[in-house]
Amino acid sequence: MNDMTTIDRTQRAYSAAAQAFLARKPALFINNEWVSSSHDQTIPVEDPSSGKIIGHAVDASDKDVDRAVAAARAAFDDGRWSGLPPMVRERTMIRLADLIEANADELAELEAIDNGKPKTMAGAVDVPGAASHIRFMAGWASKVNGEVVSPYTMPGGTVFGYTTKEPVGVCAQIVPWNFPLLMACLKIAPALAAGCTTVLKPAEQTSLTALRLADLIAEAGFPAGVVNIITGNGHTAGDRMVKHPDVDKVAFTGSTEIGKLINKNATDSLKRVTLELGGKSPVVIMPDVDVAAVAPGAAGAIFFNSGQVCVAGSRIYAHRSIFDEVIEGIAATTPFWAPRASLDPEAHMGPLVSKEQFDRVMGYIEAGKRDGASVAVGGDAAASDGGYYVNPTVLVDVNPQMSVVREEIFGPVVVAQRFDDIDEVAKAANDTCFGLGAGIWTKDVATMHKLASRIKSGTVWGNCHAVIDTALPFGGFKESGLGREQGRQGIEAYMETKTVIIQL
């Protein structure tokens, strides 16, 4: 791909509101108050569009974590939240959604500054999605109930049996850096609707919008201790949260490697666990499609959010008869996806989130080249005076043994392979330890259903990709996770079922 060196990748000036927020003293949100850490350790906040340090966040100590968990524990045990009428919990959550929408522009800018995604995208996807999750789950506060059950082994009228749904308790919630605000709200919304209390930790790379969200939580009127937000490194603060004896449930979104470790650590006390982990999603393109219409969709499946998406369509399987045409079509879209600074109003793709991620993605590209892959487009870093820009990249002439085919890259890099028939492509699509998402493009309804039933994935999209809705459950097969988020299953993941049997 032509590097488009004429693009100015200089980051735009921050708004007065963003500057004021960045100037605040690093603090933690515990018991509805901003409190100082027990020590002076901080984490730098970096703008990936420039590579510059723009602030600092607290690197929470063990004492800080303990204080936050104690606040959540007290708030749960005394029933100040779970004991409220469901109507009140619902209204409080809706006030929070209203406040998110009222502060949408500032939240979108902070997300763009912190994560690197275009502000326009954050404003169109992340912020509305965050409010949507809160609103949807708020409605479930009064709608998840138990049931009366007729006994199987006893005569009718001898016992009265029923079940109830109760909140699981104190939740430790750890969210990733690719959709910081959206994932924070996706986590807290079902917990709050269920009556739980929570300690939320954003990724150490992207703490800004979670901290701004804390202001809105206090303003919305949540009782003290119901939501506590701390910042810190995963291997210290996150680890302390997972292992804490007063935490009843852990919810984590992130890499499969870390998810496995969290699951092991949570097992010691049999904490309830929800894990949404990595993916290597196949995109199957059948020969009957209109390639001109499909190619932009396949490109968006991998280049959206700079490919930093757990369900990114990072493995394309195009039928041999249209393979070259598909690659040409995707290549034609890459000027649209040329990376720009996050506050550039013309940006559709921003930089990667950090130098570490930049090095990781470029390392995979180089590994692919060494292993024999050919670069159809991209394959390089975009010129800039700073920041972590990688051009949209398509690799061809790959084989299933290559690391670029087998491992999650989490960048704007897609590998493309040919296939001849349904049996072959179904087998290839499933040849992975992951099973989070998959896409199928075809005009044939029968083919669509046949492939959807055969691909082992938590979500299968037809003639679209990465369409997420709060009403539809989301999660993975195999090493892509445990449990489901969103939908009715999302709130039930934060509840225990109790059986009551009364002899009459």
Side-chain angles (χ1 to χ4, degrees):
M1 168 185 171
N2 182 354
D3 179 44
M4 308 258 178
T5 53
T6 57
I7 292 176
D8 179 7
R9 295 189 173 91
T10 304
Q11 180 63 304
R12 270 54 173 177
Y14 301 165
S15 70
Q19 292 181 52
F21 182 81
L22 291 168
R24 287 164 53 166
K25 178 183 176 181
L28 305 168
F29 184 73
I30 300 175
N31 256 339
N32 276 15
E33 295 180 344
W34 289 106
V35 300
S36 298
S37 173
S38 67
H39 64 190
D40 59 359
Q41 300 299 306
T42 60
I43 297 171
V45 176
E46 183 180 29
D47 183 341
S49 291
S50 65
K52 296 179 180 178
I53 303 301
I54 56 173
H56 290 82
V58 170
D59 183 7
S61 66
D62 285 355
K63 289 183 179 179
D64 296 332
V65 174
D66 293 348
R67 184 176 176 183
V69 173
R73 182 84 263 166
F76 182 76
D77 288 347
D78 67 18
R80 72 186 70 166
W81 179 245
S82 61
L84 292 175
M87 178 181 68
V88 176
R89 296 206 306 272
E90 178 182 9
R91 287 178 176 175
T92 308
M93 292 177 67
I94 289 174
R95 281 199 296 273
L96 176 58
D98 290 342
L99 288 168
I100 290 171
E101 292 172 343
N103 293 272
D105 189 71
E106 180 187 354
L107 289 167
E109 181 181 7
L110 291 174
E111 199 77 300
I113 291 170
D114 205 14
N115 167 272
K117 67 179 62 190
K119 180 186 175 183
T120 52
M121 189 190 90
V125 177
D126 298 57
V127 178
S132 175
H133 279 291
I134 299 290
R135 291 188 188 281
F136 178 82
M137 284 299 172
W140 278 108
S142 61
K143 297 175 181 65
V144 178
N145 302 300
E147 60 181 343
V148 175
V149 181
S150 298
Y152 177 63
T153 61
M154 290 168 278
T158 59
V159 300
F160 181 61
Y162 64 96
T163 63
T164 62
K165 294 288 187 179
E166 300 182 0
V168 70
V170 175
C171 304
Q173 300 180 307
I174 304 172
V175 297
W177 47 255
N178 57 340
F179 292 92
L181 177 66
L182 180 59
M183 294 304 304
C185 291
L186 184 150
K187 286 287 188 291
I188 67 171
L192 293 173
C196 297
T197 60
T198 183
V199 178
L200 176 80
K201 190 194 84 67
E204 51 265 36
Q205 299 90 342
T206 52
S207 298
L208 295 184
T209 49
L211 294 172
R212 186 67 181 94
L213 180 66
D215 292 332
L216 306 183
I217 287 168
E219 186 177 348
F222 287 87
V226 173
V227 181
N228 305 275
I229 298 178
I230 62 172
T231 55
N233 282 297
H235 65 276
T236 52
D239 186 63
R240 183 77 169 187
M241 290 167 63
V242 171
K243 294 177 179 177
H244 202 289
D246 281 334
V247 166
D248 302 299
K249 176 182 171 64
V250 177
F252 170 78
T253 296
S255 71
T256 295
E257 178 186 6
I258 300 301
K260 289 179 179 180
L261 182 61
I262 286 173
N263 197 37
K264 290 178 182 177
N265 289 333
T267 299
D268 288 341
S269 54
L270 288 181
K271 290 179 173 62
R272 286 16 180 181
V273 177
T274 303
L275 302 172
E276 193 263 281
L277 307 177
K280 192 71 175 176
S281 299
V283 175
V284 178
I285 305 176
M286 300 303 293
D288 63 336
V289 302
D290 177 354
V291 174
V294 169
I302 181 62
F303 301 139
F304 173 74
N305 206 42
S306 303
Q308 298 170 134
V309 183
C310 55
V311 294
S314 54
R315 290 185 295 147
I316 288 178
Y317 295 93
H319 190 271
R320 187 175 301 276
S321 63
I322 58 168
F323 181 85
D324 291 340
E325 189 180 355
V326 168
I327 299 305
E328 291 171 2
I330 293 173
T333 73
T334 54
F336 175 87
W337 296 105
R340 294 172 178 265
S342 65
L343 298 183
D344 185 337
E346 296 185 30
H348 300 108
M349 188 175 90
L352 298 180
V353 72
S354 65
K355 178 66 162 57
E356 178 184 9
Q357 190 64 16
F358 174 87
D359 290 342
R360 171 187 170 87
V361 172
M362 292 305 299
Y364 270 109
I365 292 173
E366 293 307 313
K369 294 176 183 178
R370 288 195 303 271
D371 291 341
S374 301
V375 177
V377 63
D380 56 355
S384 71
D385 293 330
Y388 309 120
Y389 300 93
V390 174
N391 283 317
T393 297
V394 180
L395 301 179
V396 296
D397 300 323
V398 298
N399 64 65
Q401 285 70 49
M402 292 181 179
S403 62
V404 289
V405 176
R406 304 208 66 81
E407 299 174 19
E408 184 177 37
I409 299 174
F410 227 61
V413 182
V414 63
V415 295
Q417 302 169 76
R418 299 170 174 83
F419 74 92
D420 293 302
D421 57 54
I422 287 181
D423 290 339
E424 177 190 3
V425 75
K427 181 179 179 180
N430 290 330
D431 184 21
T432 174
C433 65
F434 299 111
L436 191 57
I440 302 167
W441 296 80
T442 180
K443 296 178 181 178
D444 189 321
V445 174
T447 298
M448 180 73 73
H449 286 295
K450 287 177 182 177
L451 273 175
S453 68
R454 294 178 65 177
I455 294 177
K456 300 182 186 304
S457 177
T459 300
V460 177
W461 290 282
N463 297 325
C464 60
H465 198 90
V467 175
I468 307 292
D469 187 271
T470 55
L472 296 170
F474 182 80
F477 288 12
K478 298 189 280 187
E479 293 188 17
S480 286
L482 295 173
R484 292 294 181 269
E485 297 182 304
Q486 303 183 161
R488 182 185 182 108
Q489 292 88 342
I491 186 171
E492 288 181 339
Y494 287 87
M495 306 191 87
E496 296 278 22
T497 299
K498 177 181 287 182
T499 299
V500 180
I501 304 170
I502 301 173
Q503 185 169 312
L504 301 177

